Amino acid sequence: MSSRHLVDPELLPFLESFPTININAENLPAVREMNRAGLALLPPLPETAVMEERFIPGPAGAPDVRVKLYRRKDGAKGPRPAILHLHGGGYISGNPEFMGPQCALWAELFDAVVVSPAYRLAPETSYPGNVEDAYAATAWMNREAASLGLDPARIAVTGESAGGGLSAALALLVRDRGEYRFCHQQLIFPMLDDRTAVRADLSPMYGEFIWTNGSNHFGWASLLGQPPGSPDVSPYAAAARAESLAGLPPTFISTGALDLFTEENLEYARRLMAEGVPVELHVYPGAPHAYMRDMRAKVSRTYMRDALAGMARGLGVAFEG
């Protein structure tokens, strides 16, 4: 049974231009190359934003982490809010450059310092390489807060898809290690639960387009180094495995109604609310995975309005979208 009849008609051209691929070990190199080629289609960064690349200390015994750093040219001299952005790609592909326009927009609108690391990917590096790289970026932002001009009390973490799942896992790790804190987590159709990949009862209305459960199974197996659904998966790999979500920062979660991750996202939001975490939850009708890549659709523009307003509230900055 197909879910195509449920897709927002304004998003159908997006589906036609973005063919669904079941990613596996054989075609992963081609998928990565296709992603890199797509960087040439990105719009230029606004002239009001400054971007620089740095290499920061990685986890003990691991390579340095490449990060992209975005700031507003005429930004405030005093401490500014900051955003740690973790890119998507199923834990197996992607790069921080792909969301460069979004990072520059945050820097411009919120006068924020935005840091986007190129964390290590699976299967070349399995868990915990990705989350430890993200933790190293968190540590660097706090350690270099004065030189970066950021306020360590106002650092938000955010990401899309695998980046959203990694953001959630990192928020758990930061909570449990107790060295730093996030003021806000913004999870955009986050990849939270490896068990989705082995569910027999998942409705065919979820995950038909863009990111399928075939790709999902490969992504999780690559990250975990074992089959998804195994009994000993760490919550710092799959945040839905956490026994408690208490003490996490206020959370914004959004997903599309046709996304493979819809049910796990709704369940994570429910658990957060049940444990006293403030949650803002959005589910957009007719929207498959990654739908907001097409800003011609009204549902995508609605998402952007909600997401920018949610980030502004999370950072404690004034914003009129």
Side-chain angles (χ1 to χ4, degrees):
M1 180 184 297
S2 175
S3 62
R4 191 177 182 86
H5 65 287
L6 298 174
V7 176
D8 186 316
E10 291 187 331
L11 290 172
L12 289 174
F14 163 65
L15 293 185
E16 295 297 334
S17 64
F18 200 100
T20 298
I21 300 172
N22 281 304
I23 304 175
N24 53 45
E26 288 70 34
N27 63 25
L28 178 59
V31 169
R32 288 175 172 175
E33 181 55 37
M34 183 173 61
N35 291 339
R36 283 190 291 268
L39 295 177
L41 303 177
L42 294 178
L45 300 183
E47 294 184 357
T48 52
V50 178
M51 183 277 291
E52 59 180 299
E53 181 174 275
R54 297 196 187 183
F55 288 83
I56 66 171
D64 288 347
V65 179
R66 182 175 68 89
V67 303
K68 292 289 187 175
L69 177 64
Y70 301 83
R71 288 179 282 196
R72 199 164 78 184
K73 278 184 180 178
D74 60 350
K77 299 297 183 183
R80 288 169 283 177
I83 300 170
L84 174 61
H85 173 260
L86 303 171
H87 68 79
Y91 300 120
I92 53 176
S93 67
N95 55 66
E97 286 79 9
F98 195 80
M99 292 298 287
Q102 176 67 75
C103 292
L105 180 65
W106 286 324
E108 181 180 19
L109 291 179
F110 306 139
D111 192 11
V113 177
V114 183
V115 175
S116 187
Y119 58 85
R120 286 171 290 172
L121 300 175
E124 292 85 352
T125 301
S126 59
Y127 166 82
N130 62 341
V131 73
E132 291 294 353
D133 285 352
Y135 193 88
T138 306
W140 178 76
M141 292 174 73
N142 280 269
R143 189 170 60 247
E144 299 296 326
S147 65
L148 294 171
L150 66 85
D151 180 356
R154 289 194 294 161
I155 301 176
V157 63
T158 186
E160 307 80 27
S161 192
L166 182 55
S167 295
L170 177 62
L172 287 165
L173 188 60
V174 166
R175 178 199 67 180
D176 295 346
R177 287 184 176 171
E179 294 181 287
Y180 313 111
R181 62 177 295 271
F182 292 124
C183 67
H184 176 71
Q185 62 174 345
Q186 188 132 332
L187 313 178
I188 309 306
F189 39 76
M191 185 174 172
L192 298 165
D193 197 341
D194 63 294
R195 295 167 296 191
T196 296
V198 294
R199 280 184 56 182
D201 63 339
L202 192 67
S203 169
M205 298 301 104
Y206 301 128
E208 181 179 357
F209 305 107
I210 311 300
W211 185 255
T212 66
N213 218 6
S215 297
N216 198 43
H217 192 285
F218 176 68
W220 278 116
S222 299
L223 176 69
L224 300 176
Q226 62 179 328
S230 297
D232 57 346
V233 172
S234 169
Y236 309 133
R241 297 290 198 127
E243 292 185 5
S244 173
L245 305 183
L248 288 170
T251 304
F252 177 104
I253 298 182
S254 76
T255 191
L258 304 180
D259 200 299
L260 178 66
F261 304 139
T262 300
E263 287 196 358
E264 64 188 65
N265 293 172
L266 294 176
E267 175 61 11
Y268 202 71
R270 183 199 66 77
R271 291 184 58 202
L272 285 164
M273 288 185 277
E275 296 200 59
V277 177
V279 174
E280 179 178 349
L281 171 66
H282 296 269
V283 181
Y284 297 100
H289 197 68
Y291 65 94
M292 77 287 198
R293 291 188 182 183
D294 188 348
M295 279 294 158
R296 295 170 298 180
K298 182 178 179 181
V299 66
S300 301
R301 297 193 300 273
T302 300
Y303 154 78
M304 183 60 72
R305 177 202 66 195
D306 296 339
L308 290 175
M311 182 63 78
R313 284 191 294 275
L315 295 173
V317 300
F319 173 71
E320 294 184 5

